[in-house]
């Protein structure tokens, strides 16, 4: 149903909507109640990115002086061909531009400096970042537990989640998994609607939607957008939606239209006046044509066709429309509206962090969700468990039945080295799953669903049971077949070292996945880091023979494999005695082997080595927390620095000229 309302006033030309085949609604039903809301303005917004082309550096303008506004209870549609700057505009308004992008201009919320806090803004990006092992109901339920206030009872949270699911037409797919590797799951359109559900849970004041109808058919697009219109008016939300190619019915739902092409603003103003604007400039839309189709065909530069524009090239058409808009009364109205909003300096209704779920609740919900995800994802831990069991049998049979003779010394050392190094390095196999989890975290973190500390703690706790299982079962197989010291204390220590080492390596993988957000580069980086640590652990080269520069200081002392290997050495050889061999002493004591042959530091017990490994787990978790927080804080700093550098460069160039 078409809405031809602009600034809470009925359009003076209602026949315009009927001409497009849009059903008109009763004007009284569109009158919105007064209340607090967000008025967003952007003025002379310019966004550019620099790139190097051989010896020359070039600068590409993504947005060229865009101006506009969005009011409570209204929807602004951002339209244009692919690559015109729709997503760039949304990223600019959301404050999520990359660090290598330069931005100038003003973006104000209620006439004040841009500041989006939790519960104020929600941003649904093009990328669908969802945990593929969960069902629709589980995804929305967990998100409701994380996003909605701690004062709201769980029954109310689930009631709201169920209502949002029904409003998006997903009630028949509530128990269907999202789908991924090996599972078909939801369609692309259903995933898109599910992403919208997650953003509508908190009824945000400002809602940014990037391609909300992507993957939906015309009917589903209309019903979804119509539902968003109802919620927009009911909760006085301010909505901006980047739409690629809406149907005429969907187009009639929009209050204002922002039309972009090659970064230039072709038109911003009431949606129903856009057709008249094009007609006045010599590009009329036929009565039976969808206006949105006509606009996009007219300003599309991807194809070198001018049949739709007479004999004019598309670039010339864009220049004509852009210049005409800048000199039109509509543009003057936009500027006056922006100045009026900015002069009001209205207060921003912000929600504070205390209205979110408490940190304890966040941890509990994240632990439950992670456990469910890890349990259902075969590749996360179950496949690794199968590989570890196979390696446990292989290791046990290769070193089967070690006796107490001197000839078993080297096999014992080799087996312990394999356990401490190569079994732990196999944690790299879970790197793809880590990458997916990091993506989900980063997306939810940007929208303020939970804190970094809750995520770091919950991930460590939820992964511990699976890693303990991987340590105990394959470890028991290899330990018993090889015939190592058959004392419960020795086996418990053996399994604990393997378990803590896996915890530590997994945390290292999470750090690498955060710093290097690329699957192939992350795997290579992780393997390289662990390879350096294994080389400096004291097996391939004894500690006293390591070069002091780099290998001894600091690698030998920071290598986790060093403490794991020395702890396993002490656990196995202390208390053992080997009989005479080749004219040696009558017996060879285990302590002598540790000191003289293996050069193990004997000033502390094996439990200290295990304690150091546990401490390294804590340090790496704290390091993961600090890296995530630093990355979040450095993005705006880097962005500000680049903008200042760009301003200085432009000022210097003007002086030189």
């Amino acid at each position: 149903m078409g809405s031809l309302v602009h600034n809470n006033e009925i359009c003076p030309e209602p026949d315009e909507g009927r001409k497009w085949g849009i059903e008109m609604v009763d004007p009284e039903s569109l009158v919105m109640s007064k209340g607090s809301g967000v008025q967003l303005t952007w003025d002379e917004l310019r966004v550019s990115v620099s790139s190097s082309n051989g010896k020359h550096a070039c600068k590409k303008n993504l947005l060229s002086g865009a101006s506009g506004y969005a009011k409570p209870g209204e929807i602004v549609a951002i339209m244009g061909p692919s690559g015109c700057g729709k997503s760039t505009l949304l990223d600019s308004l959301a404050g999520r531009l990359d660090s290598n992008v330069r931005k100038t201009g003003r973006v104000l919320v209620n006439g004040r400096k841009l500041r989006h806090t939790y519960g104020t803004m929600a941003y649904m990006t093009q990328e669908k970042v969802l945990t593929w092992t969960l069902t629709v109901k589980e995804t929305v339920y967990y998100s409701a537990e994380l996003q909605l206030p701690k004062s709201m009872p769980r029954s109310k949270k689930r009631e709201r989640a169920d209502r949002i699911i029904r409003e998006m037409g997903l009630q028949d797919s509530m128990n269907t998994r999202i789908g991924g590797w090996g599972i078909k799951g939801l369609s692309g359109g259903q995933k898109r609607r599910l992403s919208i559900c997650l953003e509508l849970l908190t009824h945000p004041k400002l809602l940014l939607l990037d391609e909300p109808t992507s993957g939906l058919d015309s009917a589903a697009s209309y019903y979804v957008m119509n539902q968003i219109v109802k919620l927009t008016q009911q909760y006085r939300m301010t909505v901006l939606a980047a739409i690629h190619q809406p149907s005429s019915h969907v187009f009639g739902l929009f209050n204002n239209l922002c039309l972009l092409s090659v970064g230039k603003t072709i038109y911003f103003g009431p949606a129903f006046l856009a057709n008249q604007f094009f007609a006045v400039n010599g590009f009329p839309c036929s009565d039976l044509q969808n206006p949105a189709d006509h606009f996009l065909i007219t300003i599309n530069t991807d194809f070198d066709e001018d049949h739709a524009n007479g004999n004019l090239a598309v670039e010339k058409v864009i220049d004509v429309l852009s210049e005409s808009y800048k000199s039109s009364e509509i543009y003057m109205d936009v500027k006056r509206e922006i100045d009026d909003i900015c002069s009001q300096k209205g207060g921003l209704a912000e929600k504070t962090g205390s209205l979110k779920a408490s940190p304890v609740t966040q941890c509990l919900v994240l632990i439950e969700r992670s456990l469910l995800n890890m349990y259902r994802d075969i590749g996360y831990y179950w496949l690794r468990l199968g590989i570890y069991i196979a390696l446990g049998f292989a290791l046990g049979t290769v070193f089967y039945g070690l006796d107490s003779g001197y000839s078993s010394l080297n096999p014992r050392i080799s087996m312990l080295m394999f356990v401490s190094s190569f079994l732990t390095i196999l944690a790299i196999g879970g790197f793809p799953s880590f990458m997916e989890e990091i993506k989900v975290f980063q997306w939810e973190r940007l929208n303020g669903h939970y804190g970094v500390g809750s995520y770091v703690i919950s991930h460590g706790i939820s992964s511990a049971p699976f890693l303990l299982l991987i340590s105990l079962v394959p470890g028991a197989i290899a330990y018993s077949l090889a015939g190592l010291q058959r004392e419960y204390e020795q086996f418990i220590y053996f399994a604990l070292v393997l378990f803590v080492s896996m915890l530590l390596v997994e945390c290292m993988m999470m750090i690498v996945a955060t710093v290097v957000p690329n699957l192939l580069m992350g795997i290579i980086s992780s393997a390289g880091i662990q390879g350096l640590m294994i080389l400096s652990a004291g097996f391939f080269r004894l500690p006293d023979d390591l070069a002091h520069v780099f290998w001894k200081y600091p690698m030998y002392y920071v290598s986790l494999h060093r403490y794991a290997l020395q702890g396993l050495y002490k656990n196995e050889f202390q208390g053992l005695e080997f009989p005479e061999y080749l004219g040696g002493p009558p017996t060879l004591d285990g302590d002598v082997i540790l000191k003289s042959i293996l050069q193990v530091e004997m000033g502390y017990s094996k439990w200290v080595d295990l304690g150091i490994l546990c401490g390294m787990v804590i340090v790496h978790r704290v390091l993961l927390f600090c890296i995530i927080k630093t990355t979040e804080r450095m993005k705006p700093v880097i962005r500000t620095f680049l903008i200042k550098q760009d301003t200085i460069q432009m000022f210097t160039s003007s002086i030189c000229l």
Side-chain angles (χ1 to χ4, degrees):
M1 297 172 64
S3 171
L4 301 180
V5 179
H6 180 59
N7 297 337
N8 295 336
E9 296 180 0
I10 305 304
C11 160
E13 298 181 9
D15 292 336
E16 192 72 23
R18 297 192 183 96
K19 183 175 70 174
W20 296 344
I22 303 171
E23 181 183 356
M24 306 300 294
V25 297
D26 183 7
E28 295 298 325
S29 65
L30 300 178
V31 178
M32 297 172 293
S33 60
K34 295 182 179 181
S36 62
V38 164
Q39 298 188 91
L40 179 67
T41 61
W42 60 99
D43 192 19
E44 293 300 323
L45 190 61
R46 300 179 186 275
V47 178
S48 62
V49 60
S50 298
S51 60
S52 178
N53 184 14
K55 297 181 180 180
H56 305 284
C58 57
K59 180 179 177 182
K60 180 180 180 182
N61 293 322
L62 304 179
L63 286 177
S64 303
S67 299
Y69 60 89
K71 291 185 172 183
E74 297 183 355
I75 295 183
V76 176
I78 304 173
M79 286 177 49
S82 298
C84 68
K86 299 189 295 294
S87 297
T88 302
L89 177 57
L90 288 178
D91 289 340
S92 302
L93 300 178
R96 296 189 187 179
L97 288 173
D98 292 335
S99 57
N100 63 333
V101 177
R102 295 167 175 81
K103 182 185 77 171
T104 59
R106 295 189 307 168
V107 178
L108 303 177
V109 177
N110 287 354
R112 302 177 185 274
K113 188 177 180 180
L114 176 65
R115 183 188 175 192
H116 298 310
T117 57
Y118 170 76
T120 300
M121 185 194 74
Y123 183 15
M124 190 202 77
T125 58
Q126 284 191 33
E127 186 179 4
K128 296 183 286 291
V129 185
L130 301 167
T131 305
W132 67 272
T133 56
L134 302 180
T135 64
V136 170
K137 180 171 64 175
E138 291 166 346
T139 301
V140 182
Y141 277 8
Y142 285 132
S143 186
E145 293 285 346
L146 293 170
Q147 294 190 71
L148 297 179
K150 59 183 179 182
S151 59
M152 181 181 291
R154 172 173 286 191
S155 59
K156 293 293 184 181
K157 293 180 180 180
R158 298 203 166 186
E159 181 181 339
R160 178 180 291 188
D162 289 335
R163 185 173 68 252
I164 293 292
I165 290 174
R166 290 193 303 270
E167 289 171 346
M168 288 295 108
L170 293 172
Q171 62 276 5
D172 295 334
S173 305
M174 291 186 65
N175 297 314
T176 303
R177 294 189 190 180
I178 294 171
W181 180 78
I183 300 177
K184 185 179 184 301
L186 302 178
S187 65
Q190 289 173 323
K191 291 178 182 178
R192 177 65 62 180
R193 282 184 278 165
L194 177 58
S195 298
I196 298 175
C197 285
L198 302 181
E199 302 307 331
L200 292 175
L201 276 171
T202 58
H203 299 151
K205 297 293 184 181
L206 176 60
L207 178 61
L208 307 179
L209 302 172
D210 197 353
E211 302 287 357
T213 60
S214 177
L216 303 179
D217 57 50
S218 58
S221 298
Y222 170 74
Y223 287 119
V224 168
M225 290 306 302
N226 190 51
Q227 189 61 44
I228 293 176
V229 168
K230 292 179 180 178
L231 294 174
T232 299
Q233 297 173 355
Q234 180 180 356
Y235 300 107
R236 290 190 59 78
M237 295 190 299
T238 303
V239 181
L240 293 94
I243 304 291
H244 184 64
Q245 191 175 13
S247 65
S248 58
H249 289 78
V250 173
F251 185 82
L253 296 172
F254 303 137
N255 300 96
N256 285 329
L257 171 65
C258 177
L259 195 59
L260 302 174
S261 184
V262 294
K264 298 180 180 180
T265 302
I266 305 300
Y267 174 84
F268 183 93
F272 64 86
L273 291 180
N275 203 24
Q276 180 181 346
F277 171 77
F278 271 72
V280 168
N281 286 278
F283 308 101
C285 175
S286 62
D287 292 342
L288 299 179
Q289 187 178 9
N290 179 3
D293 293 340
H294 174 69
F295 301 155
L296 296 179
I297 292 173
T298 304
I299 61 175
N300 194 315
T301 61
D302 292 338
F303 305 96
D304 190 16
E305 296 285 346
D306 56 9
H307 57 80
N309 309 318
N311 295 322
L312 290 178
V314 178
E315 290 79 6
K316 182 64 175 177
V317 172
I318 293 173
D319 291 338
V320 169
L321 291 172
S322 178
E323 293 300 324
S324 175
Y325 168 70
K326 288 294 181 67
S327 61
S328 67
E329 185 64 27
I330 298 176
Y331 179 72
M332 296 298 105
D333 290 341
V334 171
K335 284 293 188 178
R336 284 191 290 267
E337 192 69 42
I338 293 174
D339 293 339
D340 182 60
I341 293 173
C342 294
S343 64
Q344 294 177 11
K345 295 288 184 182
L348 177 59
E350 297 182 349
K351 296 182 180 181
T352 61
S354 62
L355 292 179
K356 294 192 292 185
S358 65
V360 175
T361 302
Q362 291 177 8
C363 284
L364 293 176
V365 173
L366 290 174
I367 289 172
E368 181 181 347
R369 189 178 72 173
S370 294
L371 284 172
L372 187 58
N373 177 39
M374 294 171 183
Y375 174 77
R376 290 178 178 173
D377 189 348
I378 297 177
Y380 211 128
Y381 287 115
W382 298 117
L383 182 59
R384 289 164 59 189
L385 176 61
I387 294 175
Y388 270 88
I389 291 175
L391 285 175
F393 278 109
L395 194 61
T397 52
V398 168
F399 297 98
Y400 179 75
L402 294 176
D403 55 30
S404 58
Y406 187 82
S407 60
S408 68
L409 178 59
N410 284 334
R412 290 176 189 269
I413 296 173
S414 299
M415 178 181 175
L416 295 177
M417 172 59 189
F418 189 92
V419 169
S420 65
S421 302
F422 295 105
L423 281 186
T424 57
I425 202 174
L426 289 177
I428 296 177
F431 196 83
S433 298
F434 302 152
M435 289 290 297
E436 292 299 319
E437 189 164 342
I438 284 291
K439 288 180 181 179
V440 173
F441 160 72
Q442 291 175 341
W443 180 76
E444 293 178 334
R445 174 62 182 161
L446 282 173
N447 288 336
H449 291 187
Y450 46 83
V452 178
S454 300
Y455 170 73
V456 172
I457 294 173
S458 63
H459 181 270
I461 295 176
S462 58
S463 63
F466 296 95
L467 293 177
L468 183 60
L469 181 64
I470 290 176
S471 303
L472 288 175
V473 177
I477 294 172
Y479 196 93
S480 60
L481 289 177
L484 300 178
Q485 285 206 50
R486 298 187 180 277
E487 299 291 339
Y488 287 112
E489 179 185 339
Q490 269 75 16
F491 172 70
I492 291 174
Y493 185 88
F494 177 89
L496 284 176
V497 167
L498 185 57
F499 168 63
V500 177
S501 298
M502 287 184 180
L503 276 176
L504 183 52
V505 172
E506 183 154 305
C507 188
M508 289 176 58
M509 297 302 99
M510 297 296 293
I511 293 175
V512 173
T514 304
V515 177
V516 186
N518 178 274
L519 181 59
L520 181 59
M521 292 178 62
I523 292 176
I524 295 173
S525 302
S526 302
I529 293 172
Q530 291 201 64
L532 292 175
M533 290 188 175
I534 292 173
L535 284 175
S536 59
F539 173 80
F540 296 102
R541 193 74 168 165
L542 292 176
D544 293 344
D545 298 331
L546 287 172
H548 284 199
V549 178
F550 182 73
W551 291 110
K552 188 69 176 288
Y553 306 100
M555 288 304 299
Y556 175 69
Y557 290 97
V558 300
S559 171
L560 70 98
H561 302 285
R562 171 237 173 154
Y563 299 101
L565 183 61
Q566 290 197 3
L568 292 178
Y569 279 166
K570 295 175 184 178
N571 183 62
E572 179 62 22
F573 289 108
Q574 283 182 330
L576 282 183
E577 291 185 350
F578 296 91
E580 178 184 1
Y581 182 69
L582 295 179
T587 58
L588 189 60
D589 186 72
D591 289 346
V592 175
I593 294 174
L594 293 172
K595 291 179 183 178
S596 304
I597 299 178
L598 300 177
Q599 298 180 5
V600 174
E601 297 182 18
M602 300 298 293
Y604 49 84
S605 71
K606 63 182 181 181
W607 296 104
V608 175
D609 288 299
L610 181 60
I612 293 175
L613 287 175
C614 294
M616 292 177 76
V617 172
I618 297 175
V619 169
H620 277 73
R621 285 286 165 183
V622 173
L623 183 60
L624 175 61
F625 174 87
C626 294
I627 287 176
I628 295 175
K629 296 293 288 186
T630 302
T631 303
E632 291 178 352
R633 291 175 180 175
M634 285 302 295
K635 282 183 178 180
V637 174
I638 294 174
R639 191 178 302 125
T640 303
F641 172 77
L642 290 174
I643 292 173
K644 289 181 179 179
Q645 291 295 104
D646 187 53
T647 305
I648 293 172
Q649 183 179 357
M650 293 173 61
F651 178 72
T652 306
S653 300
S654 63
I655 292 177
C656 294
L657 291 174

